[in-house]
């Protein structure tokens, strides 16, 4: 492509001004998009950046430029943080390929590889813990990348992102990468307030355009009108006609299918002649139209596994002989460390058969190592169809040519709810591979009563708001008070995005309050009476009205009615005697007085809201600090300031939902004398959250001293729960021994099959819980007394074996 003289001059000037950026850009596979160039330019000039762009748009190029900049300085280091370990592992491998294993480290809690490297990939929690511990690893840190920073809104883990952003050294430049959120500017304003110079770069352009279809029977119908004669995002008239006909214009299938299912925002009542074909037919259709590889999003683990079986039963084979041989070779090399009996329990042979035919599932119930194999084979274009839950949409690099949504609703743990525009954007963001596909395709399967207009509205909205979930915890309180003291801690907490958003809301409320006060002043002037104080007169009239309403209810006692009648007589006498009663414009003044009174009541309510939001985070910290002082984790120094005690210094090293409960049990010695399997069983009782329908159920407990120790632990929990509620803090769920027997058996050396048969957990769930157990045991081993610490370390070795150890290594 030839450039004009002006364009050549601009490019030459850019190269002279930013040589590092030009060298980096020249090494990329694609020309940098405008948003990438703008974000990299800001970094090159020493500013932090927030980049909000769709999935697959190439945000990570900005992070790679931060790594490039750090590596140009012989002393600088860069940390790359991710929300999930799978993404950390993926980024680690990518950086090893680019910069060599000697320059790259990995820290994910249960994995510690080359932690002193120039480039270290880690989960966000690991960096938070480093900051509180003032780790020497932070020395010479120049850049921190926070991938998927919109996780800040996560109810359980989001606070960690804010803690890191607030506490990073001021000189560190921050690269925040986010999905497209509707309040990116607000988040950027907060980053500017707490981190200094920060550019906000927002892009809503997909590098690969997305074509959106509805699959009715065996026909792909465009969701939007593509005739060129209609306005953008106008629903395809053919779909509207289908909706009115209940799908019968394409399919007159009998009503033997599901009836009444999938009713919600996107589904109206309507015909039963739905145009829906089975999964193997959908796969065949996509294969025939060259729309593979595809990801089918099914909001159920069981549904994903069933889908694979259904496709395999149909006889579909999507791979050639050479591909099958390559798949088998890769899989066998990746699982060679697993025992044959474990492979049998994990359904290895059926899983391998599906992979060799190009079909696989991907969900949290799978062994993490198996999921990683599926991801690898999909990226190599060896697996062509993946049936996945929505967790695949979060960060892992698995773009496809097509994405299929079987439903637009999912079960959220309590009810079936419509997916949000943000979720839709994340899911369909997987469609379209840059440099491979000219366009990506999303396919929504027709169901009875589908409402095309609601679906089009869902598909047209590209963003969702990011709201803070930050709240002070016990561990956070002790760490901050130790570093800054109480008053400075309150100031630090006021820097949180949560308080920033609350303050923004307060600004809006205050603006409304001021406007209403101006209106009230006008009303007050309009009701002014030359005969006397009309506000006083109006108050008497309201009093009479209140008394009349009370007396008309008919549920008062005889004595109460007599008192109300006396009060009424007196009030009416007072009204008639008031000077304003004789005013010729009395009723006109009264109407203005009523308007003034309504606004006055609204203003009082607004004022209460403002008071409740101002300083809300610091107020919660005060309540947390009061609980810790009562329990002896804080004490007053000679000058009256708050300082941590020896117990508080233990609490500093305990991270997690039950930080205070763990610290209290350690301090009171309730777990002393437990053997290795019992300590592991106790740890799982603290980290595992049972399903709602399992809460309150009686479970078989391990024999021996565990039972007594668990009873004492629940007593401590009950006392803490009462204390928290007394201080207006949210209590917690009682510890659950649902997996205690299974974990006791595993730590005693039982096989995987025996342990899983004793629970209803999938292998992937068991591995995830076992890792949480290892993490808690590691914390206990550091802060507990010598004997319990030794037992905890031995328990780590017993839990981290077999599939748990294999995955930790992989």
């Amino acid at each position: 492509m030839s450039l004009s003289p002006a364009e050549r001059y601009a490019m030459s000037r850019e190269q002279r001004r930013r040589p590092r950026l030009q060298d980096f850009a020249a090494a990329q596979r694609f020309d940098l998009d405008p948003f990438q160039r703008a974000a990299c330019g800001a970094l090159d000039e020493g500013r932090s950046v927030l980049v909000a762009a769709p999935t697959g748009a190439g945000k990570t190029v900005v992070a790679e430029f931060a790594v490039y900049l750090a590596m140009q300085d012989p002393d600088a280091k860069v940390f790359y943080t991710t929300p999930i370990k799978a993404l950390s592992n993926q980024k680690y491998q990518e950086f090893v390929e680019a910069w060599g294993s000697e320059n790259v480290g990995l820290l994910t809690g249960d994995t510690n590889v080359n932690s002193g490297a120039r480039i270290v990939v880690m989960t966000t929690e690991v960096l938070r813990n480093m900051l509180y511990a003032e780790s020497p690893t932070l020395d010479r840190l120049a850049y921190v990348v926070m991938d998927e920073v919109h996780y800040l809104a996560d109810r359980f883990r989001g606070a960690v992102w804010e803690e890191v952003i607030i506490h990073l050294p001021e000189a560190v430049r921050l690269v925040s990468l986010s999905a497209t959120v509707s309040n990116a500017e607000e988040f950027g304003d907060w980053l500017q307030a707490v981190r200094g110079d920060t550019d906000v770069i927002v892009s809503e352009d997909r590098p690969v355009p997305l074509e959106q279809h509805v699959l009715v029977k065996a026909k792909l119908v465009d969701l939007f009108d593509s005739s060129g004669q209609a306005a953008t995002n106008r629903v395809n008239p053919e779909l509207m006609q289908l909706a009115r006909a209940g799908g019968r214009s394409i399919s007159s299938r009998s009503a033997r299918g599901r009836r009444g299912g999938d009713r919600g925002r996107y589904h109206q009542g309507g015909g039963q002649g739905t145009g829906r074909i089975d999964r193997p037919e959908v796969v065949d259709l996509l294969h025939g139209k060259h729309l593979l590889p595809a990801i089918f999003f099914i909001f159920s683990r069981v549904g994903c596994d069933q889908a694979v079986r259904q496709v395999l039963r149909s006889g579909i084979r999507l791979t050639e002989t050479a591909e099958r041989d390559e798949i088998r070779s890769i899989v066998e090399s990746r699982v060679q460390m697993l025992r044959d009996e474990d492979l049998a329990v994990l359904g290895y042979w059926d899983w391998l058969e599906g992979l060799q035919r190009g079909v696989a599932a991907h969900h949290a119930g799978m062994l993490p190592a198996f999921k990683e194999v599926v991801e690898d084979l999909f990226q190599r274009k060896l697996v062509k169809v993946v049936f996945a839950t929505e967790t695949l949409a979060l960060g892992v690099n698995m773009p496809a040519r097509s994405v299929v949504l079987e439903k637009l609703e999912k079960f959220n743990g309590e009810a079936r709810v419509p997916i949000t525009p943000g979720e839709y954007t994340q899911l369909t963001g997987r469609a379209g591979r840059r440099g491979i596909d000219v366009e990506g395709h999303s396919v929504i399967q027709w169901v009875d009563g589908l409402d095309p207009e609601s679906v089009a509205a869902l598909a047209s909205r590209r963003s969702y708001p990011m709201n803070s979930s930050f709240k002070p915890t016990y561990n956070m309180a002790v760490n901050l008070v130790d570093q800054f003291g109480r008053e400075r801690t309150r100031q630090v907490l006021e820097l949180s995005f949560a308080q920033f958003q609350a303050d923004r809301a307060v600004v809006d409320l205050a603006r409304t309050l001021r406007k209403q006060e101006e209106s009230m002043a006008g009303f007050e002037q309009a009701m002014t009476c030359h005969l006397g104080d009309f506000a006083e007169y109006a108050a008497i009239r309201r009093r009479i009205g209140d008394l009349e309403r009370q007396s008309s209810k008919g549920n008062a006692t005889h004595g109460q009615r007599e008192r109300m009648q006396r009060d009424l007589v007196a009030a009416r006498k007072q009204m008639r005697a008031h000077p304003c009663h004789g005013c010729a414009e009395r009723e006109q003044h009264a109407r203005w007085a009523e308007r003034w009174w309504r606004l006055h009541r609204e203003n009082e309510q607004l004022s209460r809201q403002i008071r409740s939001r101002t300083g809300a985070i610091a107020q919660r910290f005060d309540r947390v600090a009061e609980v810790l002082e009562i329990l002896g984790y804080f004490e007053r120094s000679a000058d009256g300031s708050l300082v941590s005690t020896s117990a508080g210094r233990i609490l500093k090293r305990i991270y997690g939902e039950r930080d205070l409960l763990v610290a209290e049990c350690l301090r009171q010695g309730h777990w002393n004398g437990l053997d290795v399997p019992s300590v592991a069983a106790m740890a799982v009782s603290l980290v595992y959250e049972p399903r709602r329908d399992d809460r309150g159920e009686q479970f078989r407990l391990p024999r021996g001293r565990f039972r007594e120790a668990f009873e004492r632990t629940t007593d401590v929990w009950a006392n803490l729960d009462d204390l928290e509620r007394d201080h207006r803090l949210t209590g917690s769920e009682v510890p659950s021994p649902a997996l205690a027997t299974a974990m006791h058996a595993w730590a005693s050396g039982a096989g995987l099959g025996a342990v899983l048969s004793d629970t209803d957990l999938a292998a992937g769930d068991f591995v995830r819980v076992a890792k949480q157990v290892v993490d808690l045991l590691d914390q206990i081993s550091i802060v507990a007394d010598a004997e319990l610490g030794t037992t905890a370390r031995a328990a780590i070795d017993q839990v981290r074996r077999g599939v748990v150890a294999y995955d930790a290594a992989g």
Side-chain angles (χ1 to χ4, degrees):
M1 182 181 70
S2 60
L3 299 176
S4 69
E7 288 171 328
R8 285 199 299 273
Y9 174 75
M11 181 174 289
S12 172
R13 186 178 176 187
E14 176 81 359
Q15 287 172 340
R16 288 195 302 273
R17 192 161 67 95
R18 295 174 177 164
R20 294 185 300 181
L21 175 54
Q22 294 309 315
D23 290 346
F24 173 79
Q28 302 306 301
R29 290 189 301 137
F30 308 105
D31 291 338
L32 294 187
D33 291 334
F35 87 89
Q36 294 169 326
R37 190 169 285 277
C40 291
L43 278 177
D44 199 19
E45 293 174 2
R47 297 190 298 278
S48 295
V49 291
L50 164 64
V51 182
T55 301
K59 296 186 291 289
T60 53
V61 167
V62 183
E64 288 162 5
F65 183 60
V67 173
Y68 175 84
L69 289 176
M71 295 303 284
Q72 302 309 299
D73 181 339
D75 291 327
K77 294 199 298 191
V78 56
F79 288 172
Y80 192 111
T81 72
T82 72
I84 52 178
K85 292 177 183 178
L87 189 52
S88 292
N89 291 334
Q90 189 176 78
K91 297 308 298 183
Y92 170 72
Q93 295 298 337
E94 290 175 10
F95 286 135
V96 165
E97 290 176 16
W99 297 100
S101 58
E102 70 280 6
N103 288 315
V104 186
L106 176 65
L107 295 172
T108 59
D110 56 9
T111 304
N112 185 331
V113 178
N114 198 13
S115 61
R118 301 270 309 281
I119 306 165
V120 186
V121 182
M122 62 186 68
T123 52
T124 317
E125 281 85 353
V126 169
L127 179 52
R128 186 271 311 272
N129 298 352
M130 275 187 193
L131 289 166
Y132 280 155
E134 298 180 314
S135 169
T137 309
L138 296 165
D139 293 346
R140 298 180 289 111
L141 181 62
Y143 299 92
V144 166
V145 177
M146 302 197 79
D147 202 354
E148 309 281 344
V149 75
H150 51 274
Y151 254 80
L152 181 143
D154 183 79
R155 185 161 61 98
F156 299 106
R157 299 173 56 208
V160 176
W161 273 255
E162 292 191 47
E163 291 177 78
V164 168
I165 291 168
I166 291 170
H167 296 304
L168 273 175
E170 189 176 340
V172 175
R173 296 294 86 193
L174 192 64
V175 182
S176 304
L177 307 180
S178 170
T180 310
V181 292
S182 53
N183 59 337
E185 285 77 13
E186 178 189 42
F187 185 55
D189 288 347
W190 175 68
L191 289 172
Q192 176 79 30
V194 297
R195 301 291 320 159
D197 287 344
T198 302
D199 285 11
V200 179
I201 314 292
V202 178
S203 172
E204 301 211 17
D205 295 329
R206 288 175 49 102
V208 181
L210 180 66
E211 296 293 323
Q212 308 196 67
H213 317 279
V214 176
L215 179 60
V216 188
K217 194 64 174 176
K219 180 179 180 181
L220 284 175
V221 182
D222 290 342
L223 175 59
F224 296 107
D225 190 340
S226 57
S227 64
Q229 301 173 356
T232 306
N233 290 347
R234 176 190 165 190
V235 181
N236 189 339
E238 183 180 358
L239 273 182
M240 298 302 295
Q241 181 184 352
L242 287 171
R244 287 190 291 271
R248 284 187 294 274
S249 58
I250 284 186
S251 167
S252 57
R253 194 187 82 167
S254 69
R256 61 183 171 82
R258 298 178 348 176
R259 302 188 184 196
D262 289 328
R263 298 281 184 242
R265 186 186 305 164
Y266 310 115
H267 309 284
Q268 301 173 340
Q272 295 168 345
T274 177
R276 191 176 180 93
I277 57 178
D278 291 332
R279 286 168 181 144
E281 296 173 274
V282 178
V283 172
D284 257 343
L285 179 133
L286 296 178
H287 187 39
K289 291 182 177 293
H290 306 289
L291 294 179
L292 297 182
I295 300 170
F296 286 64
F297 282 109
I298 301 173
F299 303 116
S300 154
R301 300 176 181 184
V302 173
C304 291
D305 293 335
Q306 287 176 342
V308 171
R309 289 194 293 270
Q310 187 180 2
V311 171
L312 294 183
R313 280 198 304 269
S314 73
I316 282 179
R317 190 182 298 278
L318 302 171
T319 53
E320 304 294 334
T321 302
E323 291 177 316
R324 290 193 288 276
D325 292 342
E326 187 178 355
I327 289 168
R328 189 178 190 95
S329 173
I330 291 170
V331 173
E332 288 178 347
S333 69
R334 295 286 288 272
V335 302
Q336 61 182 336
M337 300 300 292
L338 292 175
R339 300 186 305 174
D340 287 345
E341 54 265 41
D342 288 345
L343 290 175
V345 171
L346 295 167
Y348 169 76
W349 302 108
D350 291 337
W351 175 66
L352 177 59
E353 171 63 16
L355 293 176
Q356 290 184 120
R357 287 164 63 176
V359 181
H362 188 289
H363 57 73
M366 294 171 61
L367 192 70
F370 280 21
K371 283 198 298 180
E372 290 168 15
V373 169
V374 172
E375 292 160 12
D376 184 23
L377 295 177
F378 194 80
Q379 289 164 9
R380 294 174 187 244
K381 306 174 193 171
L382 295 172
V383 165
K384 323 288 184 175
V385 172
V386 170
F387 295 96
T389 56
E390 71 268 32
T391 54
L392 184 144
L394 299 173
V396 178
N397 182 25
M398 277 182 66
R401 178 164 294 171
S402 304
V403 163
V404 180
L405 302 180
E406 293 194 349
K407 300 175 184 175
L408 295 175
E409 295 175 340
K410 66 175 185 176
F411 186 70
N412 68 355
E414 297 180 355
R416 294 199 66 80
V417 296
I419 64 173
T420 66
E423 289 168 333
Y424 183 89
T425 301
Q426 285 276 75
L427 298 170
T428 57
R430 292 285 157 204
R433 298 164 299 174
R434 188 168 188 172
I436 300 174
D437 299 320
V438 176
E439 59 200 12
H441 297 265
S442 72
V443 178
I444 298 164
Q445 285 200 264
W446 182 278
V447 295
D448 288 354
L450 188 79
D451 177 14
E453 288 188 323
S454 294
V455 175
L458 175 78
S460 299
R461 289 176 59 192
R462 288 277 173 254
S463 60
Y464 54 101
M466 177 164 59
N467 295 313
S468 172
S469 60
F470 181 86
K471 60 183 181 182
T473 64
Y474 297 109
N475 168 275
M476 187 193 304
V478 177
N479 273 290
L480 291 179
V481 167
D482 247 21
Q483 277 189 299
F484 305 116
R486 179 175 186 152
E487 289 311 309
R488 173 74 179 120
T489 291
R490 294 180 96 259
Q491 294 169 12
V492 167
L493 294 174
E494 294 289 1
L495 293 174
S496 68
F497 187 45
Q499 189 59 56
F500 186 84
Q501 289 191 305
D503 289 343
R504 281 284 176 99
V506 165
V507 169
D508 291 337
L509 290 174
R511 189 180 298 120
T512 303
L513 192 65
R514 283 195 300 274
K515 286 181 180 177
Q516 294 190 172
E517 284 172 347
E518 291 170 7
S519 298
M520 285 173 65
F523 296 162
E524 198 168 349
Q525 188 173 358
M527 73 181 185
T528 300
C529 179
H530 66 289
L531 296 177
D533 185 347
F534 201 90
E536 183 182 73
Y537 177 73
I540 298 171
R541 286 175 58 133
R542 283 196 303 274
R543 169 73 174 152
I544 291 170
D546 291 343
L547 288 168
E548 287 174 342
R549 280 190 294 275
Q550 289 174 26
S551 62
S552 67
K553 288 183 179 177
N555 57 355
T557 64
H558 177 71
Q560 288 172 330
R561 281 197 298 272
E562 283 192 341
R563 269 196 309 277
M564 281 190 282
Q565 285 303 314
R566 285 196 301 272
D567 290 345
L568 259 175
V569 169
R572 285 170 179 156
K573 183 177 178 181
Q574 186 182 9
M575 179 183 70
R576 287 191 295 270
H578 197 283
C580 293
H581 191 65
C583 180
E585 299 177 336
R586 182 185 68 198
E587 293 309 311
Q588 185 178 350
H589 291 163
R591 283 193 292 273
W592 288 112
E594 183 59 31
R595 292 173 186 171
W596 180 92
W597 176 249
R598 281 201 299 269
L599 273 187
H600 173 72
R601 284 186 303 182
E602 286 181 22
N603 278 6
E604 284 190 329
Q605 186 177 358
L606 285 174
S607 296
R608 284 195 296 272
Q609 288 184 38
I610 289 171
R611 286 194 299 273
S612 70
R613 295 187 184 197
T614 303
I617 304 299
Q619 288 167 19
R620 178 185 165 86
F621 162 74
D622 288 340
R623 295 196 286 271
V624 166
E626 286 170 12
V627 168
L628 291 175
E629 190 172 2
I630 289 169
L631 292 173
Y633 291 88
F634 283 148
E635 63 184 9
R636 297 283 173 174
S637 64
D639 63 359
S641 59
L642 210 59
V643 295
S644 63
T645 63
S646 57
R649 288 187 284 278
I650 289 175
L651 180 56
K652 279 179 65 175
R653 306 296 298 274
I654 301 170
Y655 302 94
E657 290 288 309
R658 299 191 184 276
D659 48 6
L660 186 55
L661 176 59
V662 172
E664 277 292 276
C665 288
L666 289 175
R667 189 168 69 153
Q668 297 177 30
H670 291 327
W671 302 337
N672 293 347
L674 291 178
D675 60 12
V676 166
S678 296
V679 167
M682 185 63 69
V684 82
S685 301
L686 296 173
V687 301
Y688 177 65
E689 294 186 13
R691 295 190 303 265
R692 291 178 183 275
D693 50 359
D694 286 343
R695 290 174 183 167
E697 188 176 331
Q698 294 296 313
F699 296 99
R700 183 166 54 90
L701 300 181
R703 295 181 180 177
R705 300 187 65 175
F706 173 85
R707 299 185 181 195
E708 181 186 349
F710 182 75
E711 189 174 326
R712 290 197 300 265
T713 300
T714 53
D715 288 343
V716 172
W717 167 83
N719 292 333
L720 289 178
D721 196 57
D722 290 343
L723 184 60
E724 287 174 320
R725 294 181 192 279
D726 287 345
H727 285 78
R728 290 176 295 149
L729 293 167
T730 307
S732 59
E733 292 290 336
V734 63
S736 169
L739 298 183
T741 299
M743 188 56 67
H744 190 280
W746 178 254
S748 299
L752 181 64
V755 170
L756 292 181
S757 67
D758 200 37
T759 75
D760 58 357
L761 284 187
D765 293 323
F766 176 73
V767 169
R768 187 176 64 257
V769 172
K771 286 183 170 186
Q772 292 171 339
V773 167
V774 167
D775 189 40
L776 178 55
L777 290 172
D778 185 50
Q779 295 174 41
I780 292 171
S781 72
I782 294 169
V783 299
D785 294 339
E787 183 183 348
L788 180 57
T790 301
T791 306
R793 284 189 289 276
I796 290 172
D797 294 336
Q798 285 298 99
V799 173
R800 192 156 51 192
R801 63 181 179 85
V803 292
V804 179
Y806 172 83
D807 187 66

